[in-house]
DNA sequence: TTGAAAGCGCTAACAG
DNA sequence: CTGTTAGCGCTTTCAA
């Protein structure tokens, strides 16, 4: 109520308050008859406040519905308790499970997850990285090891400033600027090729996704073709599926492989994901093409539907949930170790994929699936 | 290096700096030979800064890789440019599309999306609401109209403080505390019942999801049963699917409906979602039960797989993407109108569902799907 | 166990 | 077109 002087000469202007209307720590403090810092302590380390004081503070908080302003807390402390993650797509169930694992692992440690999706575009990823860094996350997880130069620069800068940066879903022995938690997609491609060749298949086709910046799928395909061709008497090629609905795309690709007799011109197809493979499987059933007798089909991802169709779709099961869980553990470890320690040089984390053999690639047998 | 004095009487203490190491506006200002506020203006309204000055600032920003600290900006301005959304599950593709629509609609207006998932638990929803409110979002969107009392209180408080609060995916003429953007699930249940009865079915079964807090699915089921029973000569019941993998659960439910002759004891099943219905459809195919001749099946959600199986699964297509887009428009409208205006009383937004009739509920015909 | 003072990095308000 | 001043709501540091 007293006039406030803020110029040696001039006097008494009404203080221009800019309050935004929410209940503040100050108000709780007044209500409880203490100062702000005591309330602040109560919130963070309740046992360091006298129990009687604590009770009064608790009552005031309860009565007002006070919610601490996290912006202010972060600004003052420099710690955000936020981990940012950028995935290609949140709609894709594959990444959804990773996010779930990450979220679970962080929640217990009191971290919140700031999630962004790039739509499989590294340009959008760059924007998203810039956006989330503005929030000063305590750690940052991105998907894959392919970034724009500007994005890579921001990631390096963040890491060098002590913020853990993790690349998820990838693992590459020689191209690892950052800590990686994932698996070797080239190795998966080779495993897929070997599985088909071991099953007696000789004319292979890899069907890549129409999503142009799914680098990991491309890498599997490239390795698949190279590995297949290294076998004597085996031919292999790659095609790209149309960008439609994956089931329809898979159907279309199978239809395209038919030769003049209406039989597939190849004896095995490996797909970039299970939905594509399921589309092909359904189209084969519809046309009376016997799977696996006439053609073997396999996918990647181990989606639920693959277990249901025909006698089951052979696939590769990536550690979807485990990637997220491991990323959470790695981040917490790096955070605990502190920027000064050597934790930033923590070794890459290679996780394992499982080949799930089902009927769609079984070696020739008497009773085909369809036809 | 100098001794530090800090006593009212003694003077000239070294200010105890707490900087967190990042480049700040101040540093850009110094580098560009202006003051902070000019840099701040440049960032927000570039045209209000002399082009020569702007160039120097741009150069300094470029050279340092400066990223504005959003915490500080929000704290000062009171506006967060954040919209928070809470959905039951980000993995569920249904909500993923809504989030996508929301995200797109907000992005253009420069808002960021803070996303949380409740795992279909209203207790977790309460926690999430508390957590996101700590970020002072400019608006908040939640899923459905069922909340814990504490959550409802927080939502009301936020709304009364001028923050737009929207309930997504629901629309109820008489139970609408907040702005709602969605559709009437009871009406959908009635439509489903009518569709089956119109197709000549008389013994109906609603198969609810095993997710206990999917209130909207329960509401559809309740209305389905009530509407069906209102028809002369029609019987209807509801059962709950096991909580497993939805395809397996659908299979199990169909198996359970078989009577002693191995035929379904009902002539139509309506499912809480398409995956359950697809499981049942596959199980029918496997057992040689003709769909739709022996039994009609329909789902909800219009998932991609439903179009692929048998002759296609009849379903109800909810406005998945449109809900998100409409929520974005509504929020932006309320934000623009300002808390003072009557926008907070904006009427509820009812959106339309489409019944997608496919072969699985076609009236009896000569050539059944399977068998 | 509690408090006083300073400061986190930015923007609002008003001046010039 | 640019600057000055105060302040957002919280935590840190040091002291009692």
């Amino acid at each position: 109520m007293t006039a406030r002087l803020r110029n040696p000469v001039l006097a008494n202007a009404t203080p221009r308050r800019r309050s935004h209307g929410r209940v503040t720590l100050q108000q709780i403090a007044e209500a409880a008859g203490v100062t702000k810092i005591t309330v602040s302590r109560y919130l963070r380390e309740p046992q360091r406040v006298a129990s009687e004081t604590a009770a009064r503070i608790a009552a005031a908080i309860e009565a007002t519905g006070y919610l601490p302003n996290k912006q202010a807390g972060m600004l003052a402390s420099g710690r955000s308790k936020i981990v940012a993650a950028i995935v290609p797509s949140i709609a894709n169930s594959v990444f959804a499970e990773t996010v779930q694992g990450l979220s679970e692992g962080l929640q217990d440690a009191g971290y919140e997850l700031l999630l962004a999706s790039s739509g499989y575009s590294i340009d959008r990823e760059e924007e998203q990285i810039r956006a989330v860094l503005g929030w000063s996350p305590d750690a940052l997880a991105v998907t894959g090891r392919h970034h724009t130069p500007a994005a890579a620069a921001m990631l390096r800068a963040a890491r060098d400033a002590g913020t853990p940066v993790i690349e998820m879903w990838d693992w590459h022995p020689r191209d690892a600027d950052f800590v990686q938690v994932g698996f070797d997609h080239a190795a998966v491609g080779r495993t897929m090729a070997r599985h088909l060749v071991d099953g007696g298949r000789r004319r292979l086709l890899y069907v890549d996704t129409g999503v142009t910046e799914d680098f990991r799928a491309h890498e599997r395909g490239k390795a698949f073709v190279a590995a297949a061709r290294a076998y004597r008497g085996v031919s292999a090629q790659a095609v790209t599926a149309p960008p439609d609905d994956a089931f329809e795309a898979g159907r279309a690709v199978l239809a395209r492989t038919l030769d003049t007799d209406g039989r597939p011109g190849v004896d095995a197809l490996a797909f970039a994901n299970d939905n594509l493979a399921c589309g092909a499987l359904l189209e084969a059933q519809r046309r009376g093409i016997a799977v696996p007798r006439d053609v073997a089909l396999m996918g990647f991802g181990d989606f639920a539907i693959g277990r249901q169709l025909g006698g089951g779709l052979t696939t590769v099961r990536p550690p979807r949930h485990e990637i997220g869980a491991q990323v959470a553990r790695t981040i917490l470890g790096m955070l605990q170790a502190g920027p000064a320690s050597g934790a930033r040089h923590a070794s890459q984390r290679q996780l394992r994929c499982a080949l799930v053999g089902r009927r769609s690639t079984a070696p020739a047998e008497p009773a085909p699936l369809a036809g």
Side-chain angles (χ1 to χ4, degrees), chain A:
Chain A
M1 306 308 181
T2 48
R4 316 211 333 201
L5 312 179
R6 57 184 153 67
N7 182 298
V9 181
L10 310 173
N12 96 343
T14 305
R16 339 120 159 184
R17 314 222 100 261
R18 282 196 277 149
S19 170
H20 305 307
R22 282 176 44 181
V23 179
T24 71
L25 205 57
Q26 177 66 53
Q27 296 171 41
I28 301 297
E30 284 164 10
V34 290
T35 54
K36 300 189 296 183
I37 186 59
T38 305
V39 180
S40 175
R41 278 207 196 92
Y42 165 79
L43 257 16
R44 287 171 300 134
E45 311 163 274
Q47 72 286 7
R48 288 196 40 183
V49 170
S51 60
E52 207 176 301
T53 313
R56 290 207 311 281
I57 295 174
I61 290 177
E62 175 72 21
T64 55
Y66 168 71
L67 288 174
N69 181 325
K70 293 190 187 172
Q71 267 85 271
M74 285 186 220
L75 186 58
S77 70
R79 267 169 287 109
S80 64
K81 283 287 192 177
I82 287 182
V83 171
I86 301 176
V87 294
S89 156
I90 32 186
N92 187 324
S93 64
V94 163
F95 297 111
E97 276 195 54
T98 298
V99 168
Q100 183 73 23
L102 181 56
S103 166
E104 288 165 4
L106 293 173
Q107 205 130 38
D108 303 332
Y111 284 84
E112 303 206 47
L113 186 64
L114 184 65
L115 187 62
S117 78
S118 68
Y120 284 98
S121 152
I122 57 174
D123 289 323
R124 261 188 68 71
E125 187 199 54
E126 177 186 324
E127 284 174 42
Q128 301 281 21
I129 290 173
R130 203 187 317 278
V132 300
L133 283 179
W135 294 94
S136 327
D138 287 348
L140 176 56
V142 296
T143 306
R145 60 180 215 274
H146 297 90
H147 316 287
T148 64
M154 287 189 284
L155 295 177
R156 270 192 298 274
R159 179 198 51 196
D160 295 342
T163 304
V165 172
I166 313 256
E167 289 174 335
M168 307 185 283
W169 274 90
D170 213 339
W171 185 91
H172 193 283
R174 282 167 324 219
D175 182 11
D177 240 16
F178 302 96
V179 174
Q180 298 178 334
V181 175
F183 54 90
D184 183 343
H185 290 262
V188 167
R190 290 191 291 270
T191 300
M192 292 172 80
R194 175 151 39 84
H195 173 74
L196 294 173
V197 172
D198 285 352
R201 312 292 167 167
R202 291 297 175 263
R203 286 169 303 144
L204 313 187
L205 183 66
Y206 182 82
V207 183
D208 204 352
T209 163
V211 178
T212 53
E213 293 188 15
D214 188 343
F215 301 103
R216 294 164 293 286
H218 305 337
E219 194 166 2
R220 293 193 296 273
K222 207 174 142 198
F224 176 93
V225 170
R229 289 181 178 161
Y231 290 95
R232 177 183 307 277
V234 173
S235 68
Q237 314 182 60
V239 297
T240 297
D244 328 330
D245 174 281
F247 294 111
E248 292 297 345
R251 294 196 111 113
V253 168
L254 187 85
R256 267 200 253 135
T257 67
L258 301 180
D259 64 19
T260 48
D261 302 327
R263 300 270 126 187
V266 296
D267 59 13
L269 292 92
F271 293 83
N273 67 59
D274 278 3
N275 281 354
L276 287 168
C278 286
L281 185 50
L282 287 162
E283 188 64 16
Q285 286 183 339
R286 194 166 75 80
R287 292 173 181 257
I289 295 168
V291 175
R293 197 194 59 198
D294 297 344
V295 65
L297 302 175
M298 73 182 297
F300 174 86
D302 193 29
F303 303 168
I305 185 66
R307 226 171 331 220
Q308 304 296 329
L309 298 184
L313 176 74
T314 293
T315 190
V316 172
R317 172 159 48 225
R320 301 186 283 225
H321 186 275
E322 177 57 18
I323 289 175
Q326 178 63 52
V327 168
R329 283 194 294 272
T330 303
I331 285 174
L332 294 176
M334 293 172 81
L335 247 19
Q336 187 164 30
S341 95
R344 114 174 33 154
H345 304 110
S347 62
Q348 322 315 331
R349 267 75 172 183
Q350 183 177 16
L351 301 177
R352 293 243 155 266
C353 279
L355 182 88
V356 183
R358 299 207 185 97
R359 182 118 178 258
S360 71
T361 58
E365 20 167 311
L369 284 185

